[in-house]
Amino acid sequence: MTESNGRARARVRRRRRSGEHATPSDASAHRDASESVPYGMRLAAAWSWRLLLVGGVLAVVIFLIIQLRFIIVPILVAVLIGALLVPFSHFLQRHRWPRWLAITVAMVSALAVVGGLLTLGITQIVRGFGDLAAQSLVAWDQFKALLLASPLHITETQLNDFVDQVFASAQQDGSILLSGALSAGSTVGHFVAGMLLAIFATIFVLIDGRGIWNWIVGVFPKRAQAAVDGAGNAGWATLQNFVKVQVLVAAIDAVGIGLGAFFLGVPLAVPIGILVFLGSFIPIVGAVVTGALAVFVALVYNGWVIALIMLGIVLLVQQVEGHILQPLIMGTAVKVHPLGVVIAVATGSLLAGIPGALFAVPVAAVTNVMITYIARGSWKNAAGPPVEEAHSPLWRTVPQRPGYQRGD
């Protein structure tokens, strides 16, 4: 009796494990319930939870980037500068310059160019700021007289009330301005710290950028390293093309608008050209702001006729850039549709302001190239990234396990 009961219990356990306890009616009911949902709904549900998962991951990444912006932004700046200076350093090394000397010359040249442009532009602006302020008051008086004599029937009392309202609004926002002034020390401290971090990160990219990349690739699983390495190399080449082309386009814009201001006799032509050059690195936004500044200076100093001509020059240069330079040069180098550029810049500006507008296009271009490379599947025939010996003394400070090598 005991043996028969044990065998019976064993059969019951086996049925439960194998699902034999379910009746045919239960199985058919479950099948009917699943089949009653249309295929389109099941497909939409499958896509929906995957899209929600991807969106959640992207939201977390964006949140972390915003929280760590004082570290992320200088590192991204260093990557952009490195993409411009690494080919120059390699060019010097190919011509038998010592490696340390090539890196030093590349860094010093970049600092000298940027520092020289900023020094020249700031000096010119400070020197002409007094005249600009005085001339702005004269232009306002002329504009006010024009409004009073116009058929709009605007009285001087109405103009004075408008000016008083502007000053009253400024006084009401005094507390905000005061708090901003009190936090200026913190802002300056963040700027200085970010600048130093960008300089040191650029130096490390020049010294051992390939070694750093190999270490990053080594973090991924072995079978994914070929795809990651190939996509990274494709993205790096695209980033180098973007930086070189952007410098060329910015120089053309600065020369065109600066020469136009010079020949029209507009003061501060050199600072205007410098601001146009620096502002061109921020797509769309920088061109609009610097062009408006050039037109304003021409209006204040030279009158509305010269200002209209200056506006025509700015629009002409921007049209040449948007319809000739960008499609022919930038489009070939970056391979991003103009609509994609506008959407990327708008999204970056909304999420991160000026830094977002600055990095929107290179991030979109690099991401597009990397995704295209991985989707193409050519990396499947690659042998993976080569594991190189650590020639840089920086890697000697990294602790290693016995039998472990960087890149494994």
Side-chain angles (χ1 to χ4, degrees), residues 278-333:
L278 297 177
S280 297
F281 288 94
I282 304 176
I284 301 175
V285 179
V288 172
V289 173
T290 55
L293 177 62
V295 175
F296 172 75
V297 174
L299 178 63
V300 169
Y301 278 96
N302 304 90
W304 63 272
V305 177
I306 301 298
L308 288 178
I309 298 175
M310 189 71 231
L311 177 62
I313 293 175
V314 171
L315 293 178
L316 176 62
V317 172
Q318 292 181 358
Q319 290 299 314
V320 169
E321 174 196 348
H323 293 87
I324 298 179
L325 297 180
Q326 293 285 354
L328 294 181
I329 304 177
M330 185 66 74
T332 304

XYZ file of all heavy atoms in Angstrom, residues 278-333:
408
model
N 33.831 82.624 -34.120
C 33.547 81.808 -32.939
C 32.083 81.371 -32.906
O 31.766 80.241 -32.512
C 33.897 82.589 -31.670
C 35.373 82.964 -31.507
C 35.572 83.791 -30.247
C 36.254 81.725 -31.461
N 31.174 82.262 -33.326
C 29.762 81.918 -33.306
C 29.365 80.895 -34.353
O 28.344 80.213 -34.194
N 30.154 80.763 -35.413
C 29.816 79.800 -36.464
C 29.923 78.361 -35.995
O 29.388 77.458 -36.649
C 30.719 80.013 -37.686
O 30.499 81.293 -38.255
N 30.611 78.123 -34.871
C 30.702 76.759 -34.349
C 29.395 76.325 -33.698
O 29.229 75.147 -33.390
C 31.846 76.651 -33.344
C 33.195 76.713 -33.981
C 33.882 77.924 -34.083
C 33.801 75.590 -34.509
C 35.126 77.996 -34.680
C 35.040 75.650 -35.114
C 35.707 76.854 -35.207
N 28.499 77.280 -33.440
C 27.162 76.943 -32.947
C 26.219 77.067 -34.134
O 25.890 78.176 -34.553
C 26.725 77.882 -31.811
C 27.750 77.867 -30.686
C 25.362 77.479 -31.283
C 27.449 78.829 -29.567
N 25.786 75.974 -34.740
C 25.005 76.051 -35.972
C 23.725 76.858 -35.777
O 23.072 76.798 -34.737
C 24.692 74.577 -36.285
C 25.730 73.800 -35.547
C 26.033 74.588 -34.315
N 23.389 77.642 -36.800
C 22.142 78.405 -36.903
C 22.090 79.520 -35.860
O 21.985 80.708 -36.193
C 20.906 77.486 -36.790
C 20.929 76.429 -37.909
C 19.627 78.297 -36.850
C 19.811 75.418 -37.812
N 22.172 79.171 -34.574
C 22.041 80.168 -33.513
C 23.184 81.172 -33.569
O 22.974 82.391 -33.501
C 21.983 79.478 -32.140
C 21.878 80.504 -31.012
C 20.815 78.501 -32.084
N 24.417 80.682 -33.679
C 25.573 81.573 -33.699
C 25.557 82.520 -34.883
O 25.877 83.713 -34.752
N 25.166 82.019 -36.054
C 25.130 82.872 -37.251
C 24.094 83.975 -37.107
O 24.332 85.129 -37.485
C 24.847 82.010 -38.485
N 22.936 83.656 -36.547
C 21.882 84.663 -36.385
C 22.302 85.747 -35.397
O 22.143 86.951 -35.647
C 20.578 83.981 -35.929
C 19.529 85.014 -35.564
C 20.047 83.057 -37.018
N 22.870 85.349 -34.257
C 23.243 86.313 -33.221
C 24.367 87.231 -33.700
O 24.289 88.462 -33.574
C 23.644 85.575 -31.932
C 24.194 86.556 -30.900
C 22.447 84.833 -31.359
N 25.420 86.668 -34.264
C 26.538 87.492 -34.717
C 26.153 88.363 -35.905
O 26.610 89.506 -36.022
C 27.729 86.598 -35.085
O 27.313 85.608 -36.058
C 28.262 85.879 -33.858
N 25.315 87.850 -36.809
C 24.843 88.686 -37.914
C 23.998 89.847 -37.433
O 24.130 90.976 -37.930
N 23.133 89.595 -36.437
C 22.328 90.683 -35.875
C 23.212 91.732 -35.202
O 22.931 92.940 -35.281
C 21.332 90.113 -34.868
N 24.291 91.302 -34.554
C 25.212 92.254 -33.932
C 25.877 93.147 -34.978
O 26.002 94.372 -34.782
C 26.273 91.496 -33.135
C 27.365 92.340 -32.482
C 26.752 93.288 -31.457
C 28.422 91.462 -31.839
N 26.295 92.553 -36.108
C 26.911 93.352 -37.163
C 25.929 94.379 -37.722
O 26.293 95.543 -37.961
C 27.409 92.423 -38.277
N 24.686 93.976 -37.912
C 23.675 94.914 -38.429
C 23.396 96.016 -37.409
O 23.233 97.185 -37.767
C 22.389 94.152 -38.786
C 21.284 95.125 -39.197
C 22.656 93.167 -39.917
N 23.365 95.685 -36.126
C 23.116 96.686 -35.088
C 24.231 97.727 -35.043
O 23.963 98.942 -34.944
C 22.982 95.993 -33.734
C 22.919 96.945 -32.565
C 21.767 97.666 -32.304
C 24.025 97.129 -31.750
C 21.708 98.549 -31.240
C 23.980 98.008 -30.683
C 22.817 98.725 -30.427
N 25.480 97.280 -35.110
C 26.598 98.228 -35.091
C 26.536 99.137 -36.316
O 26.760 100.362 -36.224
C 27.936 97.469 -35.023
C 29.112 98.439 -35.164
C 28.054 96.704 -33.717
N 26.220 98.571 -37.473
C 26.098 99.399 -38.678
C 24.956 100.397 -38.549
O 25.068 101.549 -38.993
C 25.885 98.505 -39.894
N 23.847 99.998 -37.935
C 22.711 100.906 -37.755
C 23.064 102.051 -36.810
O 22.701 103.214 -37.054
C 21.513 100.126 -37.224
C 20.242 100.925 -36.922
C 19.691 101.555 -38.192
C 19.195 100.042 -36.257
N 23.778 101.752 -35.746
C 24.111 102.771 -34.747
C 25.097 103.786 -35.311
O 24.947 105.009 -35.125
C 24.663 102.097 -33.470
C 25.266 103.133 -32.527
C 23.550 101.337 -32.768
N 26.111 103.304 -36.020
C 27.179 104.192 -36.473
C 26.917 104.801 -37.845
O 27.277 105.945 -38.105
C 28.507 103.433 -36.516
C 29.205 103.338 -35.176
C 29.050 102.226 -34.375
C 30.029 104.369 -34.720
C 29.687 102.129 -33.156
C 30.674 104.282 -33.496
C 30.500 103.164 -32.717
O 31.126 103.070 -31.504
N 26.336 104.009 -38.763
C 26.299 104.420 -40.158
C 24.907 104.690 -40.708
O 24.770 105.048 -41.879
C 26.975 103.355 -41.034
C 28.393 103.068 -40.607
O 28.629 102.185 -39.780
N 29.351 103.806 -41.148
N 23.873 104.495 -39.934
C 22.528 104.780 -40.415
C 21.856 103.558 -41.016
O 22.467 102.503 -41.214
N 20.566 103.755 -41.351
C 19.776 102.607 -41.780
C 20.122 102.131 -43.184
O 19.924 100.953 -43.509
C 18.294 102.941 -41.692
C 17.842 104.054 -42.596
C 17.833 105.376 -42.327
C 17.339 103.907 -43.924
N 17.373 106.096 -43.392
C 17.033 105.207 -44.400
C 17.094 102.831 -44.764
C 16.536 105.446 -45.661
C 16.580 103.061 -46.023
C 16.309 104.342 -46.461
N 20.678 103.002 -44.045
C 21.040 102.565 -45.400
C 22.193 101.570 -45.351
O 22.142 100.475 -45.942
C 21.396 103.787 -46.276
C 21.849 103.321 -47.658
C 20.197 104.728 -46.400
N 23.255 101.936 -44.635
C 24.397 101.029 -44.493
C 23.987 99.774 -43.725
O 24.474 98.670 -44.004
C 25.569 101.753 -43.795
C 25.998 102.976 -44.609
C 26.750 100.810 -43.608
C 26.510 102.640 -45.989
N 23.075 99.943 -42.757
C 22.606 98.772 -42.011
C 21.867 97.799 -42.923
O 22.031 96.571 -42.799
C 21.699 99.219 -40.866
N 21.073 98.319 -43.851
C 20.400 97.434 -44.801
C 21.389 96.730 -45.717
O 21.231 95.542 -46.026
C 19.383 98.232 -45.623
C 18.108 98.689 -44.900
C 17.236 99.516 -45.828
C 17.344 97.475 -44.374
N 22.427 97.470 -46.147
C 23.453 96.833 -46.989
C 24.195 95.762 -46.192
O 24.491 94.666 -46.692
C 24.427 97.898 -47.533
C 23.673 98.902 -48.408
C 25.543 97.240 -48.320
C 24.543 100.050 -48.894
N 24.493 96.066 -44.912
C 25.161 95.083 -44.055
C 24.286 93.855 -43.848
O 24.767 92.713 -43.856
C 25.485 95.731 -42.704
C 26.376 94.881 -41.803
S 28.077 94.790 -42.406
C 28.347 93.027 -42.390
N 22.974 94.095 -43.698
C 22.048 92.971 -43.583
C 22.064 92.116 -44.844
O 22.036 90.880 -44.777
C 20.636 93.491 -43.310
C 19.523 92.448 -43.228
C 19.774 91.476 -42.084
C 18.163 93.127 -43.071
N 22.119 92.773 -46.008
C 22.207 92.017 -47.254
C 23.477 91.193 -47.344
O 23.455 90.040 -47.812
N 24.609 91.742 -46.885
C 25.866 90.990 -46.907
C 25.790 89.781 -45.977
O 26.221 88.664 -46.321
C 27.037 91.913 -46.527
C 27.240 92.973 -47.605
C 28.319 91.111 -46.305
C 28.295 94.000 -47.260
N 25.232 90.000 -44.769
C 25.108 88.891 -43.817
C 24.225 87.788 -44.388
O 24.561 86.596 -44.318
C 24.550 89.414 -42.479
C 24.201 88.247 -41.557
C 25.553 90.319 -41.791
N 23.080 88.183 -44.970
C 22.188 87.184 -45.552
C 22.845 86.462 -46.730
O 22.666 85.252 -46.911
C 20.885 87.846 -45.995
C 19.993 88.386 -44.868
C 18.765 89.064 -45.442
C 19.587 87.273 -43.922
N 23.613 87.217 -47.544
C 24.293 86.601 -48.684
C 25.313 85.563 -48.224
O 25.362 84.441 -48.751
C 24.975 87.681 -49.526
C 25.808 87.176 -50.716
C 24.915 86.439 -51.714
C 26.540 88.339 -51.395
N 26.123 85.932 -47.225
C 27.128 84.989 -46.709
C 26.462 83.764 -46.111
O 26.890 82.622 -46.338
C 28.035 85.698 -45.680
C 28.939 84.693 -44.988
C 28.859 86.778 -46.344
N 25.381 83.973 -45.366
C 24.695 82.838 -44.753
C 24.005 81.965 -45.788
O 23.952 80.738 -45.635
C 23.695 83.341 -43.714
C 24.347 83.984 -42.490
C 23.345 84.456 -41.466
O 22.140 84.338 -41.665
N 23.823 85.007 -40.362
N 23.494 82.572 -46.855
C 22.885 81.771 -47.911
C 23.931 80.950 -48.659
O 23.691 79.796 -49.017
C 22.127 82.681 -48.892
C 20.859 83.298 -48.309
C 19.854 82.264 -47.891
O 19.585 81.313 -48.631
N 19.293 82.410 -46.705
N 25.088 81.558 -48.902
C 26.177 80.810 -49.544
C 26.601 79.645 -48.667
O 26.836 78.526 -49.145
C 27.363 81.751 -49.847
C 28.587 80.953 -50.267
C 26.986 82.749 -50.931
N 26.679 79.913 -47.360
C 27.040 78.824 -46.440
C 25.972 77.735 -46.425
O 26.283 76.543 -46.494
C 27.221 79.380 -45.031
C 27.453 78.289 -43.983
C 27.258 78.793 -42.576
O 27.170 80.017 -42.380
O 27.186 77.956 -41.655
N 24.690 78.143 -46.329
C 23.624 77.158 -46.190
C 23.328 76.379 -47.448
O 22.938 75.208 -47.365
N 23.522 76.992 -48.634
C 23.121 76.325 -49.876
C 24.297 75.833 -50.716
O 24.082 75.078 -51.674
C 22.266 77.269 -50.728
C 20.940 77.581 -50.113
N 20.771 78.615 -49.215
C 19.721 76.993 -50.236
C 19.498 78.655 -48.820
N 18.846 77.683 -49.434
N 25.513 76.261 -50.396
C 26.674 75.821 -51.174
C 27.684 75.100 -50.282
O 28.041 73.949 -50.532
C 27.340 77.017 -51.884
C 26.362 77.658 -52.878
C 28.610 76.575 -52.596
C 26.919 78.867 -53.599
N 28.137 75.799 -49.235
C 29.185 75.215 -48.398
C 28.670 74.013 -47.603
O 29.318 72.961 -47.578
C 29.745 76.276 -47.442
C 30.442 77.470 -48.099
C 30.939 78.436 -47.040
C 31.598 77.001 -48.966
N 27.509 74.193 -46.952
C 26.996 73.099 -46.133
C 26.662 71.853 -46.952
O 27.094 70.757 -46.602
C 25.766 73.570 -45.346
C 26.062 74.615 -44.280
C 26.728 74.024 -43.064
O 26.883 72.820 -42.949
N 27.154 74.883 -42.146
N 25.897 71.972 -48.079
C 25.610 70.748 -48.835
C 26.843 70.112 -49.467
O 26.987 68.896 -49.466
C 24.616 71.220 -49.906
C 24.033 72.470 -49.367
C 25.142 73.120 -48.597
N 27.742 70.947 -50.019
C 28.882 70.390 -50.743
C 29.982 69.901 -49.814
O 30.549 68.831 -50.017
C 29.445 71.426 -51.720
C 28.523 71.832 -52.880
C 29.219 72.847 -53.770
C 28.107 70.607 -53.686
N 30.283 70.676 -48.789
C 31.413 70.338 -47.912
C 30.938 69.598 -46.673
O 31.325 68.461 -46.426
C 32.186 71.615 -47.521
C 32.645 72.349 -48.783
C 33.379 71.277 -46.659
C 33.358 73.652 -48.498
N 30.056 70.249 -45.895
C 29.624 69.642 -44.650
C 28.802 68.390 -44.883
O 28.938 67.400 -44.163
C 28.823 70.655 -43.829
C 28.417 70.160 -42.452
S 29.826 69.899 -41.347
C 30.245 71.604 -40.986
N 27.917 68.415 -45.905
C 27.094 67.242 -46.160
C 27.919 66.030 -46.539
O 27.634 64.909 -46.133
N 28.989 66.230 -47.305
C 29.847 65.114 -47.686
C 30.648 64.603 -46.506
O 30.872 63.398 -46.353
C 30.799 65.548 -48.813
O 30.026 66.045 -49.904
C 31.651 64.393 -49.273
N 31.085 65.502 -45.634
C 31.930 65.100 -44.506
C 31.122 64.470 -43.383
O 31.553 63.507 -42.758
C 32.706 66.313 -43.983
